């Protein structure tokens, strides 16, 4: 994991013990049944990969920094394993933004079927720091990812979505490899990625059980595994913005992931919950003592691998979800503009129609993602980009009533964009909410910033399982809530699925 720039590391002598959770009997729930469908990820094999990364570091100056011979050898090891297993593998050179001399990303696609327009990505950074071999940070994540990929190839399940694995370069110097990859994706390719899962430091000897963005749909999938084995989890606050999920968040891809903790000290409450001591989760974070086997917890590592496999098999190899309701906006289905009578926008109100492309320092309004129509804030182009954009406040549009099934999981999915000029402020926004029996709950808000943001179709998904059995409506809002900024938004391909 990339170091936080404000963090001061102090060498502390500790005796760390593997973190364990109290033994509990998991309830016989649907989550447990689903977890059994995923194969067990071999701890023995994962540790063998970690041993290989240790050997590579030892033979190449003691580290696997992105610019080193140790990193090059790590790339070769991973690449050869994946090619031999039948993956389509690419060494992607980072041609901008990376440290001079940094090695490539390794991107591996499994050619075993699934919807090519629905991709689940699993990633880990392959590089380490120059201070040591980088075993927990991040041979643990790389080895876990590699073994999951090899297990997928060996079992070759029937897939409903495509699966892609990524081993990132130059993470320790600023998330550079993953940022390069994310920023070079076209809007079409971005929209295909339904979720990205990150694995960074997943074997900490005094570890905890942290999930990135635990309340998101991918985060809840990982949590379901830990729940099924009786292990409590927490939001990963220490690693927020410090690993390779951040560049994917920045381009609008939903993310989650697993971490076991870095230099932060485990609290007394966390010791009670997980075991261990009130000391650093990883006492050898970014130090020469980050070695194998002394700096790896078998228990924490094993659970991380099985959680990742659970997510992959649940989302990409499960039974295809049933569509409960959908709208591509090619015909009128009963959406209502300004349903509460409280809109203040003087132009750019939501409408269903054929959007005309507009441009101002880049694309600000796009054509529909599918078909010819979408929901858009002022479909006409006008003489200039600002002629029909949102002005004067908020515009809202609400779906017809949708009766949800009594059982889940239930998921709302849609494609959307928010575009604005550099005169926008944080008061401008795009928001998705659900109107339910007890009121209105915001599911997602994208706030603007005082920088130019071009229109790019982005996919999102949010759990509706809490509203099972209810009649709900989807509320979409967008606002130019401050000065007369250039603000445009659109929505297309809204679906609610069960399963």
């Amino acid at each position: 994991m990339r170091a936080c720039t404000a963090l001061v590391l102090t060498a502390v002598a500790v005796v760390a013990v593997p973190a364990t959770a109290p033994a509990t009997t998991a309830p016989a729930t649907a989550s447990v049944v689903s977890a059994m469908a995923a194969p067990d990820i071999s701890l023995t094999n994962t540790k063998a990969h970690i041993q290989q990364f240790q050997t590579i570091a030892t033979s190449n100056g003691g580290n696997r920094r992105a610019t080193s011979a140790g990193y090059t050898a790590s790339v070769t090891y991973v690449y050869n394993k994946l090619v031999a297993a039948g993956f389509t593998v690419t060494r992607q050179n980072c041609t901008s933004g990376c440290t001079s001399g940094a090695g490539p990303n390794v991107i591996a696609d499994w050619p075993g079927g699934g919807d090519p327009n629905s991709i689940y990505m699993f990633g880990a950074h392959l590089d380490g720091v120059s201070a040591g071999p980088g075993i927990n940070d991040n041979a643990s994540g790389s080895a876990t990812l590699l073994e999951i990929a090899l297990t997928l190839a060996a079992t070759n399940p029937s897939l409903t979505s495509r699966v892609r694995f990524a081993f990132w370069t130059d993470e320790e110097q600023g998330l550079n490899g993953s940022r390069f990859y994310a920023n070079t994706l076209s809007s079409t390719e971005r929209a295909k990625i339904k979720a990205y899962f990150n694995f960074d430091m997943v074997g900490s000897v005094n570890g905890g059980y942290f999930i990135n963005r635990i309340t998101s749909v991918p985060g809840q999938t990982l949590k379901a595994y830990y729940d099924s084995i009786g292990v409590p989890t927490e939001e990963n606050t220490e690693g927020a913005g410090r690993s390779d999920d951040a560049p994917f968040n920045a381009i609008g891809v939903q993310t989650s992931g697993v971490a076991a903790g870095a230099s932060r000290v485990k609290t007394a409450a966390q010791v009670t919950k997980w075991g261990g001591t009130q000391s650093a989760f990883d006492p050898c974070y970014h130090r020469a003592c980050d070695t194998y086997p002394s700096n790896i917890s078998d228990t924490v590592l094993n659970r991380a691998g099985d959680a990742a496999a659970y997510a992959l098999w649940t989302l990409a190899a499960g039974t295809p979800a049933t569509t409960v309701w959908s709208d591509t906006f090619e015909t009128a289905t009963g959406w209502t503009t300004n349903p509460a009578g409280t809109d203040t926008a003087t132009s750019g109100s939501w409408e269903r129609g054929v959007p005309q492309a507009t441009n101002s320092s880049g694309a600000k309004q796009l054509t529909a993602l599918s078909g010819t129509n979408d929901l858009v804030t002022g479909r006409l182009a006008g003489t200039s980009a600002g002629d029909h954009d949102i002005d004067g406040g908020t515009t809202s549009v609400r779906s017809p009533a949708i009766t949800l099934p009594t059982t889940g999981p239930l998921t709302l999915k849609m494609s959307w964009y928010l575009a604005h000029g550099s005169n926008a402020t944080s008061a401008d926004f795009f928001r998705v909410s659900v109107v339910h029996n007890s009121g209105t709950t915001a599911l997602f808000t994208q706030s603007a910033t005082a920088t130019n943001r071009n229109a790019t179709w982005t996919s999102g998904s949010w759990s509706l399982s809490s509203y099972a059995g209810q009649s709900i409506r989807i509320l979409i809002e967008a606002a130019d809530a401050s000065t007369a900024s250039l603000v445009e938004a659109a929505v297309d391909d809204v679906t609610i699925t069960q399963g």
Side-chain angles (χ1 to χ4, degrees), residues 328-332 349-356 365-380 457 490-492:
T328 60
F329 304 106
E330 296 309 301
T331 59
S349 295
W350 286 104
E351 59 180 322
R352 184 186 70 86
V354 180
Q356 298 177 10
Q365 184 163 285
L366 304 174
T367 56
L369 181 63
S370 65
T372 57
N373 296 326
D374 62 13
L375 274 183
V376 62
T377 53
R379 62 185 178 83
L380 299 178
W457 283 111
V491 169
D492 207 353

Side-chain angles (χ1 to χ4, degrees), residues 83-152:
V83 169
F87 282 85
T88 302
V89 191
T90 302
R91 289 185 176 98
Q92 182 195 44
N93 292 322
C94 181
T95 56
S96 66
C98 283
T99 304
S100 178
N105 294 323
V106 179
I107 311 297
D109 285 277
W110 178 241
D115 181 358
N117 294 312
S118 176
I119 299 171
Y120 286 95
M121 278 194 74
F122 295 78
H125 72 88
L126 187 57
D127 67 316
V129 294
S130 58
I135 293 304
N136 187 39
D137 187 14
N138 186 38
S140 65
S142 298
T144 296
L145 203 66
L146 179 58
E147 187 54 30
I148 292 168
L150 299 181
T151 303
L152 177 67

Side-chain angles (χ1 to χ4, degrees), residues 393-421:
T394 301
T395 176
S396 62
V397 62
R398 190 181 67 190
S399 75
I402 305 162
T403 301
L404 298 179
T406 56
T407 58
L410 301 170
T411 304
L412 168 66
K413 303 177 182 180
M414 70 175 66
S415 295
W416 61 276
Y417 65 76
L418 172 69
H420 52 75

Side-chain angles (χ1 to χ4, degrees), residues 332-352:
T333 58
W335 288 75
T336 304
T337 303
N338 191 16
T342 57
D343 285 5
T344 54
T346 56
S347 69
S349 295
W350 286 104
E351 59 180 322
R352 184 186 70 86

Side-chain angles (χ1 to χ4, degrees), residues 197-477:
F197 291 89
N198 196 61
F199 301 89
D200 191 354
M201 302 184 67
V202 298
S204 305
V205 290
N206 191 37
Y209 296 92
F210 298 103
I211 295 175
N212 303 347
R213 293 160 193 86
I214 196 169
T215 59
S216 67
V217 169
Q220 287 290 294
T221 306
L222 288 170
K223 182 178 183 296
Y225 171 75
Y226 285 104
D227 287 348
S228 76
I229 61 171
V231 174
T233 50
E234 290 184 8
E235 173 68 36
N236 181 16
T237 58
E238 182 184 20
R242 292 173 56 189
S243 194
D244 294 299
D245 50 338
F248 286 88
N249 288 323
I251 63 168
V253 173
Q254 289 212 343
T255 68
S256 188
V258 170
S263 60
R264 186 174 289 179
V265 172
K266 183 181 282 188
T267 67
Q270 290 168 332
V271 169
T272 300
K273 180 165 35 180
W274 293 323
T277 62
Q278 283 186 255
S279 56
F281 291 104
D282 180 355
C284 289
Y285 174 66
H286 283 192
R287 297 174 61 197
C289 59
D290 186 11
T291 58
Y292 181 78
S294 62
N295 203 43
I296 290 291
S297 163
D298 286 3
T299 300
V300 177
L301 181 71
N302 189 41
R303 288 170 173 169
D306 289 338
Y310 174 89
L312 190 159
W313 263 258
T314 297
L315 296 172
T319 302
T322 300
T323 298
V324 173
W325 183 86
S326 67
D327 199 344
T328 60
F329 304 106
E330 296 309 301
T331 59
T333 58
W335 288 75
T336 304
T337 303
N338 191 16
T342 57
D343 285 5
T344 54
T346 56
S347 69
S349 295
W350 286 104
E351 59 180 322
R352 184 186 70 86
V354 180
Q356 298 177 10
T358 65
N359 218 287
S360 177
S361 300
K364 292 297 179 287
Q365 184 163 285
L366 304 174
T367 56
L369 181 63
S370 65
T372 57
N373 296 326
D374 62 13
L375 274 183
V376 62
T377 53
R379 62 185 178 83
L380 299 178
T383 305
S384 67
D387 285 352
H388 299 284
D389 73 317
I390 309 169
D391 282 320
T394 301
T395 176
S396 62
V397 62
R398 190 181 67 190
S399 75
I402 305 162
T403 301
L404 298 179
T406 56
T407 58
L410 301 170
T411 304
L412 168 66
K413 303 177 182 180
M414 70 175 66
S415 295
W416 61 276
Y417 65 76
L418 172 69
H420 52 75
S422 58
N423 59 349
T425 74
S426 59
D428 307 330
F429 64 85
F430 168 85
R431 179 174 296 136
V432 180
S433 301
V434 56
V435 182
H436 51 86
N437 289 353
S438 302
T440 300
T441 300
L443 301 174
F444 171 78
T445 300
Q446 173 72 61
S447 297
T449 59
T451 57
N452 184 67
R453 179 188 178 96
N454 294 330
T456 301
W457 283 111
T458 302
S459 61
S461 60
W462 305 273
S463 175
L464 296 179
S465 297
S466 299
Y467 313 109
Q470 295 187 28
S471 177
I472 60 105
R473 297 176 190 265
I474 305 303
L475 179 67
I476 310 292
E477 300 169 277

